Amino acid sequence: MARDVYKPLIKLVQQAFSLARSLDIPNLLQPGLAKEIIIADILGHEVIPAKRQPDARDPENPDIVYEYLSCKEGGSGQFDRMFKFPLDKRERSLGRIRRNSKIYLAVFFADNQLKAKTIYELDPEIVEREAVRQLDRSSNDISHVGFSISWTAEHGRVVYSDKGHA
């Protein structure tokens, strides 16, 4: 039967879910979480699986938090649903940037999106300035604020690089 081919895959996903729950990660398939776990592992951070929180924290000091953006080669990282107006929502949106000690953009290999190629570290102040610039130029009250790899390379620093291939 054709659907039997999925059974080994489903069993592995169930095992991964069980392991994730034992690590206090309630929803392994939450969008973006698998890549956040990969990034946290590389950088030595502790992942925060809650959806409306920063992505990770320093394992020695939980007050030091980080945000992760990711993309595949040739793409760009982004903060989704950033508000231009009303002003109170704009401040909350920008607070998603400000709350972090650092922001990281992880670029994954296009043909193996579970393998990080390069991770850039950015200062939140620089990211906030660019986010404000993009929001001010947007004709929409709600926008995605994007950061290209070239912009990130110019304004950040490489903290991880895999010179190999996917």
Side-chain angles (χ1 to χ4, degrees), residues 42-156:
I42 291 168
L43 297 177
H45 298 160
E46 181 181 322
V47 76
I48 301 172
K51 197 148 177 59
R52 305 238 184 274
Q53 298 295 316
D55 294 324
R57 64 179 149 243
D58 183 295
E60 304 298 320
N61 183 350
D63 293 331
I64 298 174
V65 296
Y66 311 107
E67 189 70 27
Y68 298 153
L69 307 176
S70 66
C71 65
K72 65 181 179 179
E73 295 170 295
S76 63
Q78 67 182 24
F79 281 92
D80 294 342
R81 296 190 48 79
M82 297 287 286
F83 283 80
K84 178 178 182 175
F85 292 114
L87 291 179
D88 64 322
K89 288 186 176 183
R90 178 183 174 116
E91 281 301 304
R92 278 200 303 270
S93 292
L94 292 172
R96 292 170 43 208
I97 297 171
R98 292 180 190 135
R99 69 187 177 191
N100 300 288
S101 295
K102 296 291 180 186
I103 296 172
Y104 295 91
L105 172 66
V107 180
F108 286 80
F109 286 98
D111 55 353
N112 182 354
Q113 293 182 43
L114 292 177
K115 186 173 181 187
K117 177 180 180 180
T118 310
I119 301 177
Y120 296 92
E121 180 183 84
L122 293 154
D123 286 322
E125 298 82 18
I126 293 169
V127 173
E128 181 181 1
R129 278 197 300 270
E130 177 62 13
V132 166
R133 186 190 73 76
Q134 289 184 37
L135 288 172
D136 288 347
R137 296 182 82 185
S138 175
S139 59
N140 301 317
D141 287 349
I142 304 172
S143 298
H144 299 312
V145 175
F147 303 90
S148 68
I149 296 168
S150 60
W151 182 91
T152 302
E154 181 180 335
H155 294 91

Side-chain angles (χ1 to χ4, degrees), residues 31-46:
L33 184 57
K35 285 187 177 178
E36 291 166 9
I37 292 169
I38 292 166
I39 299 165
D41 182 61
I42 291 168
L43 297 177
H45 298 160
E46 181 181 322

